[in-house]
Amino acid sequence: MGDCSGLTTLQWLLIGALVAAVAAAATLSVTAAVEDAGESVSANSAQLGAARVVAEEVERDARRASAGDFDTWADWEAHFRRRCALVAARFDVSPPSDGANRFVRAGDGRPAFDETAARHAAAADRNPPSAAKAQARCTIE
């Protein structure tokens, strides 16, 4: 029988190389998965940020409404509620929880969207409406 020590050394070198290759492949796989997750979080954060900017724009537009833009307060409310709901869909973010989006007329009892209504809309904020101001709240979560 011949000397097998050279063959055994070669076998151990091949096994070592195989283990190193598997470790390298696992490292690359984990690195790629972490990078993909990071990109996904970054993309979601960017979408959420953009959606919030557009939601603020919807609120500003509700406050900028002029007499003649709408016939009634109900038209104003429906228009801005719809626009706010579209923000979440447009940016593929979670829709707001119940009650988060509220466009509610001033409580002065007047149905028409006239000059007085436009002043009440201009005074709108995110808080519940009063007799002299409306509520304009578009929340993105």
Coordinates of all heavy atoms in Angstrom, one line a residue, residues 16 32 41 43 61 63-64 81 107 113 119 136:
G16 N -12.4 22.0 3.7 CA -12.2 23.4 4.2 C -12.7 24.4 3.2 O -13.4 25.4 3.6
A32 N -27.7 40.4 1.6 CA -28.7 40.9 0.6 C -30.1 41.0 1.2 O -30.8 42.0 1.0 CB -28.8 39.8 -0.5
V41 N -37.9 49.4 4.1 CA -38.2 50.3 5.2 C -38.1 51.8 4.7 O -38.9 52.6 5.0 CB -37.4 50.1 6.5 CG1 -37.5 51.2 7.5 CG2 -37.8 48.7 7.1
A43 N -38.2 52.9 1.6 CA -39.2 53.2 0.7 C -40.5 53.5 1.4 O -41.3 54.4 1.0 CB -39.4 52.1 -0.3
D61 N -55.9 73.2 1.3 CA -56.9 73.5 0.3 C -58.3 73.7 0.9 O -59.1 74.5 0.4 CB -56.9 72.4 -0.8 CG -55.6 72.4 -1.6 OD1 -54.9 73.4 -1.6 OD2 -55.4 71.5 -2.4
R63 N -59.0 74.9 3.7 CA -59.1 76.2 4.3 C -59.1 77.3 3.3 O -59.5 78.4 3.6 CB -57.9 76.4 5.3 CG -58.0 75.6 6.6 CD -56.9 75.9 7.6 NE -55.6 75.6 7.1 CZ -54.9 74.5 7.3 NH1 -55.6 73.5 7.9 NH2 -53.7 74.3 6.9
R64 N -58.6 77.1 2.1 CA -58.5 78.1 1.0 C -59.8 78.1 0.2 O -59.9 79.0 -0.7 CB -57.4 77.8 0.1 CG -56.0 78.0 0.8 CD -54.9 77.7 -0.2 NE -53.6 77.8 0.4 CZ -52.6 77.1 0.0 NH1 -52.7 76.3 -0.9 NH2 -51.4 77.3 0.7
R81 N -63.1 65.0 2.2 CA -63.1 63.6 2.8 C -62.6 62.7 1.7 O -61.7 61.8 1.9 CB -64.4 63.2 3.3 CG -64.8 63.7 4.6 CD -66.1 63.1 5.1 NE -66.5 63.9 6.3 CZ -67.8 64.2 6.5 NH1 -68.7 63.9 5.7 NH2 -68.1 64.9 7.6
G107 N -70.5 75.0 12.9 CA -71.8 74.8 13.5 C -72.7 75.9 13.6 O -73.5 76.1 14.6
F113 N -72.5 77.2 1.1 CA -71.1 77.6 1.2 C -71.0 79.0 0.5 O -70.6 79.1 -0.6 CB -70.3 76.5 0.5 CG -68.8 76.6 0.9 CD1 -68.4 75.9 2.1 CD2 -67.9 77.4 0.3 CE1 -67.1 76.0 2.5 CE2 -66.6 77.5 0.7 CZ -66.2 76.8 1.8
R119 N -65.2 82.0 5.2 CA -64.4 82.5 6.4 C -64.3 81.5 7.4 O -63.3 81.3 8.1 CB -65.1 83.8 7.0 CG -64.8 85.1 6.2 CD -65.2 86.3 7.0 NE -66.6 86.3 7.4 CZ -67.6 86.7 6.6 NH1 -67.4 87.1 5.4 NH2 -68.9 86.7 7.1
A136 N -60.8 70.7 9.7 CA -60.2 70.2 8.5 C -59.0 69.3 9.0 O -58.0 69.8 9.4 CB -59.7 71.3 7.6

